[in-house]
């Protein structure tokens, strides 16, 4: 006799049924639009014959037909600079699929170049208001209990191109390329804190990097941070890349990129922030009234359409709108898309799994009638935070600010199908 529960469809089965209904219903008309609107090959006669391929190798390269790379930048509007003058390098969001960023295309932000650290000589010091002091090697950390989780990291300067005005010739790589998602592997911060015996009065932690700039940030030890932060040595199944902190870095899911200290060398515990130059002169937010905000640590709810997006050209008829959404508060609950300049909205489909504090891919079918319009997305997370439009963000922050720009991104499309960056 079969168990009773076998009579009920599983969640996976219900998803499968839902997908079948979508494919057999709505997709029939959409598929016709795709075929009608795109050139189709006549036969397999146009396909080149089979041939013997290249020998196996120790490292797989991308196809010679795939051209994809980051863009070095020296600040807002200063792109394609000499690498020696660059302060960051942006991820090509318009050329990626899914939610995971390849390790070599993860955005980069460095203050004094990328050090080449010997993992055998590197050390992590834990000290301060603790019962004991520890100095750990990379092998020590690898021998400890580990976790792996996907998490986005986002530079606070992501989106800074559009604070004051919009350059119509920007791509989504230019506007939003300072965010990436990887799978990270390492030792939970809570485990390390238990090892050293943090004093109950120690409510702050100083994290310091091993690069020449000596980047150091004060981090409040909230329950959320204690539960989620970890010291990583793995990135997408391999050791960290040097540009992303090899041999170890701090991972702070949902918080400012500069808190995810690379080349981590020290964690000090205390009862107040250290007020380093990185949280006084650097990562502060100048408001419209001339005052500055400090410790604006969490990255807010955000989204962007990656296709069609800036400098692309589309044709009338069927188009597939796709993009990425993320939130430092938790999971993306829904993404809405407007194809008429934010006058009306339709809910997009989210690609599963939808995980907390990661980028989530969204998609929607669209039949464009060939008339000029504007497209825009907005995301809502599971805490109820809604991505603001530009007017609401500027009303709150003013235009003196440079960081934490999470306004809805608008792309205009003219009658010729040219997609351009504009302010709503």
């Amino acid at each position: 006799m079969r168990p009773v529960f076998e009579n009920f469809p599983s969640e996976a089965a219900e998803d499968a049924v839902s997908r079948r209904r979508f494919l057999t219903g709505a997709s029939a008309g959409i598929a016709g639009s795709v075929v009608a609107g795109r050139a189709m090959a006549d036969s397999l006669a146009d396909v080149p014959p089979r041939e013997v391929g290249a020998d196996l190798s120790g490292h797989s390269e991308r196809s010679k037909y795939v051209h994809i790379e980051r863009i070095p930048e020296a600040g807002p509007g200063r792109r394609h600079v000499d690498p020696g003058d660059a302060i960051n390098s942006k991820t090509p969001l318009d050329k990626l699929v899914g939610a995971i960023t390849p390790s070599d295309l993860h955005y980069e932000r460095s203050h004094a170049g990328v050090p080449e650290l010997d993992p055998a000589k590197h050390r992590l010091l834990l000290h301060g208001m603790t019962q004991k002091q520890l100095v750990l090697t990379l092998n020590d950390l690898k021998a400890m209990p580990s976790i792996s989780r996907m998490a986005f990291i986002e530079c606070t300067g992501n989106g800074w191109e559009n604070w004051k005005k919009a350059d119509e010739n920007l791509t989504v790589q230019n506007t939003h390329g300072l965010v990436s998602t990887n799978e990270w592997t390492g030792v939970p911060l809570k485990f390390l804190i238990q090892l050293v015996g943090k004093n109950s009065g120690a409510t702050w932690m100083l994290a310091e990097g091993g690069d020449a700039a000596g980047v150091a940030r004060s981090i409040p030890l909230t329950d959320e941070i204690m539960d989620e932060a970890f010291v990583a040595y793995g990135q997408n199944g391999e050791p960290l890349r040097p540009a992303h902190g090899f041999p170890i870095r701090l991972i702070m899911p949902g918080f400012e990129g500069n808190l995810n200290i690379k080349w981590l060398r020290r964690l000090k515990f205390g009862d107040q922030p250290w007020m380093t130059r990185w949280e006084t002169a650097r990562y502060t937010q100048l408001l419209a009234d001339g005052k500055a905000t400090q410790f604006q640590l969490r990255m807010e709810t955000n989204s962007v359409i990656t296709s069609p997006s800036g400098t692309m050209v589309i044709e009338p008829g069927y188009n597939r709108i796709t993009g990425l959404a993320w939130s430092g508060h938790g999971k993306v609950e829904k993404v809405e898309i407007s194809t008429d300049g934010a006058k009306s909205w339709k809910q997009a489909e989210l690609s599963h799994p939808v995980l907390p504090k990661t980028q989530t891919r969204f998609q929607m079918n669209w039949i464009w009638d060939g008339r000029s319009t504007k497209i825009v997305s907005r995301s809502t997370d599971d805490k109820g935070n809604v991505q603001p439009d530009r007017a609401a963000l500027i009303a709150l922050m003013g235009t003196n600010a440079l960081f934490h720009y999470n306004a809805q991104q608008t792309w205009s499309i003219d009658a010729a199908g040219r997609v351009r960056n504009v302010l709503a």
Side-chain angles (χ1 to χ4, degrees):
M1 179 183 296
R2 294 191 306 171
V4 174
F5 62 75
E6 289 190 4
N7 294 323
F8 295 91
S10 65
E11 183 175 347
E14 289 177 348
D15 286 346
V17 171
S18 177
R19 289 177 182 277
R20 281 197 296 272
R21 287 172 181 163
F22 174 77
L23 291 172
T24 57
S27 292
I30 293 169
S33 299
V34 174
V35 173
R38 298 288 184 271
M40 307 297 286
D42 293 329
S43 72
L44 291 180
D46 297 329
V47 179
R50 297 186 179 96
E51 60 182 27
V52 177
D55 295 335
L56 300 183
S57 64
H59 184 270
S60 297
E61 302 293 339
R62 291 189 176 91
S63 165
K64 67 180 181 180
Y65 300 104
V66 175
H67 306 287
I68 183 169
E69 60 184 3
R70 299 181 308 193
I71 295 176
E73 179 187 82
R78 299 182 60 198
R79 295 175 291 278
H80 299 289
V81 298
D82 184 278
D85 296 325
I87 64 172
N88 60 52
S89 191
K90 292 185 169 181
T91 296
L93 298 180
D94 51 330
K95 296 181 175 65
L96 300 183
V97 298
I100 294 291
T101 310
S103 297
D104 63 327
L105 296 175
H106 190 292
Y107 89 87
E108 180 185 348
R109 171 71 169 104
S110 300
H111 291 274
V114 178
E116 191 66 67
L117 302 180
D118 184 345
K121 297 179 180 179
H122 192 73
R123 299 292 185 269
L124 173 62
L125 168 64
L126 295 94
H127 68 137
M129 294 177 61
T130 59
Q131 295 177 20
K132 58 182 177 180
Q133 173 179 301
L134 283 180
V135 177
L136 302 175
T137 67
L138 178 60
N139 286 338
D140 290 334
L141 292 168
K142 287 184 174 181
M144 296 175 182
S146 67
I147 61 169
S148 291
R149 68 168 289 180
M150 287 170 52
F152 77 82
I153 298 180
E154 182 178 16
C155 178
T156 59
N158 203 28
W160 59 13
E161 296 280 3
N162 286 345
W163 263 117
K164 297 181 184 295
K165 59 182 180 180
D167 180 343
E168 68 171 12
N169 296 312
L170 298 186
T171 67
V172 69
Q173 183 174 13
N174 300 140
T175 61
H176 287 77
L178 292 177
V179 60
S180 302
T181 291
N182 278 184
E183 181 191 58
W184 308 95
T185 299
V187 181
L189 176 64
K190 181 177 290 187
F191 181 83
L192 297 174
I193 284 176
Q194 291 172 347
L195 283 182
V196 297
K198 181 185 73 69
N199 296 347
S200 60
T203 55
W204 286 81
M205 177 178 73
L206 178 72
E208 180 184 69
D211 60 330
V215 177
R217 290 299 310 268
S218 301
I219 299 170
L221 293 176
T222 64
D223 290 343
E224 177 185 8
I225 289 172
M226 293 273 285
D227 288 339
E228 298 191 25
F230 58 103
V231 175
Y233 48 77
Q235 176 182 10
N236 287 344
E238 64 175 343
L240 295 172
R241 298 289 178 100
H244 306 301
F246 180 83
I248 56 175
R249 76 176 299 171
L250 184 64
I251 297 295
M252 295 276 297
F255 291 88
E256 289 183 336
N258 59 80
L259 292 182
N260 294 255
I261 300 293
K262 296 186 286 187
W263 316 294
L264 185 66
R265 61 177 293 190
R266 185 162 68 109
L267 295 175
K268 183 177 182 179
F269 301 93
D271 58 5
Q272 58 186 323
W274 280 260
M275 304 305 289
T276 71
R277 68 181 292 257
W278 305 100
E279 52 218 22
T280 54
R282 298 301 296 269
Y283 290 103
T284 59
Q285 191 82 310
L286 184 61
L287 303 179
D289 61 4
K291 295 182 179 180
T293 296
Q294 291 179 293
F295 299 107
Q296 186 182 353
L297 305 182
R298 190 185 302 276
M299 301 309 296
E300 296 295 335
T301 308
N302 211 333
S303 73
V304 63
I305 294 171
T306 58
S307 180
S309 60
T311 75
M312 294 182 180
V313 178
I314 66 172
E315 297 178 0
Y318 173 82
N319 285 271
R320 184 71 165 170
I321 297 177
T322 185
L324 292 164
W326 61 99
S327 173
H329 294 274
K331 287 185 181 181
V332 172
E333 185 77 16
K334 67 177 179 179
V335 176
E336 298 165 288
I337 295 174
S338 174
T339 57
D340 57 9
K343 296 176 183 176
S344 64
W345 298 86
K346 294 181 180 179
Q347 191 161 328
E349 174 189 352
L350 301 183
S351 298
H352 291 273
V354 179
L355 301 174
K357 301 180 181 180
T358 66
Q359 290 178 290
T360 297
R361 174 69 57 177
F362 63 85
Q363 305 176 64
M364 190 183 81
N365 298 310
W366 178 42
I367 306 299
W368 180 44
D369 61 11
R371 293 184 292 181
S372 297
T373 190
K374 294 178 180 179
I375 59 175
V376 58
S377 66
R378 69 181 180 196
S379 59
T380 302
D381 66 27
D382 59 355
K383 305 297 189 299
N385 299 292
V386 181
Q387 182 183 5
D389 59 30
R390 176 178 168 79
L393 182 68
I394 296 303
L396 178 66
M397 302 299 299
T399 57
N400 291 328
L402 186 63
F403 304 127
H404 291 268
Y405 185 89
N406 69 313
Q408 298 165 17
Q409 170 66 41
T410 301
W411 305 111
S412 71
I413 303 174
D414 64 17
R418 293 173 297 194
V419 187
R420 295 293 182 265
N421 174 49
V422 296
L423 301 181

